[in-house]
Amino acid sequence: MSEPTLFQGSGKRSSGEPLAARMRPTTLEDFLGQQHLLGSGKALGELIRRGDVGSCIFWGPPGSGKTTLARLVANYTDRHFEPFSAVTEGVGRVREIIKQAEERLKYEGRGTILFCDEIHRFNRAQQDAFLPWVENGIITLIGATTENPSFELTAPLLSRCRVIERALPEAGKGKGETGKVTLVPDAIAALVTYAQGDARRALNAVEAVVQHAATLSPFPIPVSRDLVVSALERPLPAYDKSGDQHFNIISALHKAVRGSDVEGSLYWLARMLAGGEDPLYIARRLVRIAAEDVGLADPRALALALSAKDAYHFLGSPEGELALAEAVVYLATAPKSNRVYAAFAQATDAAAAHPAEAVPLHIRNAPTRLMEDLGYGAGYKYAHAFEHAYVPQDYLPEVLRGASWYQPTEFGFEKDIKQRMEWWAELKRKAAGEKTE
């Protein structure tokens, strides 16, 4: 039997339905989690109970209750409820719904709630098709998305253990059992880990475990953790290569490396690899980390990150993943400096603020006699002709002279760079003093 549609009648539920369908709440009191929004006296909950919900977006991972909550809204309102999927339908269908909504409001005095599932599938222009009709009250738009909509919304919270425990009495029904199934605490914890925040996955897992247990003789009560693990095998990690998980975990990896936390760095690397992330994407990010966060505190970091990329490209998975792990450990334990990053940002700002400053004449190239006559290259001092291969002279346009963007740290190789720069600065001061005497 296929899964019930969004607004299938709520009559007696067949024991042949999937457990996730049988456990779908029909009232707000049955809806677990989000009590800060849906509890008694809370704004959204009271609006739903009064049937007075305005346009809103439900944001959360699969199985967190977005569609169920939308269905509950339908149960509490006398407005017409129109389900719509951005995956299978387009703007043309939206126009049809809008036209019908206008006629319904005009001739019946009845409003329309348009529920748009997977609304993030629409691009910005397509989403804009809703706006005029939302603004003039023809429709109330309820969107559901698994992607971060960049609005100030709280991600759904799921009371996972309570979901599992409430589902157990239903899980055995229709399977030749009494429905009185119990799990040891470790078994529930294993189910929570397996579900990874997805209520539908948790309920399906409960059903699979109970079915597996029913094949054993005698029926094991209570169900153990080992039985749960054997029924579900190894859970896939929660990861979405194109959504929030992708950006959140690469951010966690970057920050752990920057914070010199080896274990955290390795964990987030392993999470991304286990989730199916492209290892070469990770390698590119490691090269960026080497340049941005290690910088010249350890010039070998960039070379090692590039070598790890080449090693993975040469070996492939899984052998090449060890090279990425080696790079992660090296970067996490390397001395850190973002001074090149900061200096380049300041230089970029200066270039934007002074985009047309002339190159000083003495450092211009003079390949022709005319250019020599115009003063190109006049007064230039060839550094290698002087002691220590250094001679003070200006290289910046006059308006920027005296700028000091790069300030090396006292860590790693930058300590040597700092000493060298201070030595050059002293030579420059001495040269300036000789000129003024």
Side-chain angles (χ1 to χ4, degrees), residues 137-348:
I138 298 298
I139 63 168
T140 298
L141 174 66
I142 298 180
T145 176
T146 57
E147 300 296 324
N148 187 335
S150 298
F151 297 152
E152 293 296 329
L153 296 179
T154 303
L157 302 176
L158 180 63
S159 179
R160 302 173 212 170
C161 288
R162 290 180 61 200
V163 169
I164 293 170
E165 290 168 349
R166 284 185 53 172
L168 287 173
E170 284 284 334
K173 294 181 180 179
K175 312 296 180 184
E177 302 298 331
T178 63
K180 296 180 179 179
V181 181
T182 60
L183 280 73
V184 300
D186 284 351
I188 293 179
L191 283 165
V192 169
T193 300
Y194 176 86
Q196 298 186 15
D198 187 329
R200 185 181 297 108
R201 185 175 184 179
L203 295 171
N204 290 338
V206 170
E207 191 166 34
V209 168
V210 171
Q211 289 175 351
H212 175 61
T215 66
L216 305 177
S217 182
F219 187 85
I221 297 294
V223 174
S224 69
R225 183 184 186 281
D226 289 343
L227 190 145
V228 168
V229 172
S230 66
L232 301 178
E233 299 180 345
R234 185 170 69 93
L236 293 174
Y239 193 73
D240 179 355
K241 291 192 289 183
S242 62
D244 278 356
Q245 289 284 353
H246 166 82
F247 295 106
N248 289 342
I249 294 183
I250 192 60
S251 175
L253 173 61
H254 194 149
K255 290 179 173 65
V257 172
R258 178 186 292 152
S260 301
D261 187 315
V262 176
E263 284 71 25
S265 302
L266 286 172
Y267 172 75
W268 295 119
L269 170 66
R271 276 282 301 273
M272 295 189 82
L273 291 172
E277 182 58 73
D278 179 4
L280 288 176
Y281 166 78
I282 300 174
R284 288 192 294 272
R285 297 305 305 171
L286 295 179
V287 171
R288 170 65 183 190
I289 292 170
E292 177 181 340
D293 294 289
V294 177
L296 289 178
D298 186 346
R300 295 169 296 182
L302 184 57
L304 190 138
L306 287 167
S307 295
K309 180 266 296 182
D310 291 340
Y312 178 82
H313 194 269
F314 180 64
L315 293 173
S317 289
E319 291 88 350
E321 293 170 4
L322 185 58
L324 299 181
E326 181 179 327
V328 162
V329 171
Y330 188 95
L331 294 174
T333 56
K336 305 297 190 297
S337 171
N338 72 339
R339 297 299 176 85
V340 172
Y341 176 78
F344 183 60
Q346 293 180 66
T348 300

Side-chain angles (χ1 to χ4, degrees), residues 57-64 66 116-121 143-149 156 198 200 240 242-245:
I57 301 291
F58 296 153
W59 169 35
S64 58
K66 302 182 297 297
C116 182
D117 196 18
E118 303 289 328
I119 194 170
H120 63 272
R121 301 279 186 171
T145 176
T146 57
E147 300 296 324
N148 187 335
D198 187 329
R200 185 181 297 108
D240 179 355
S242 62
D244 278 356
Q245 289 284 353

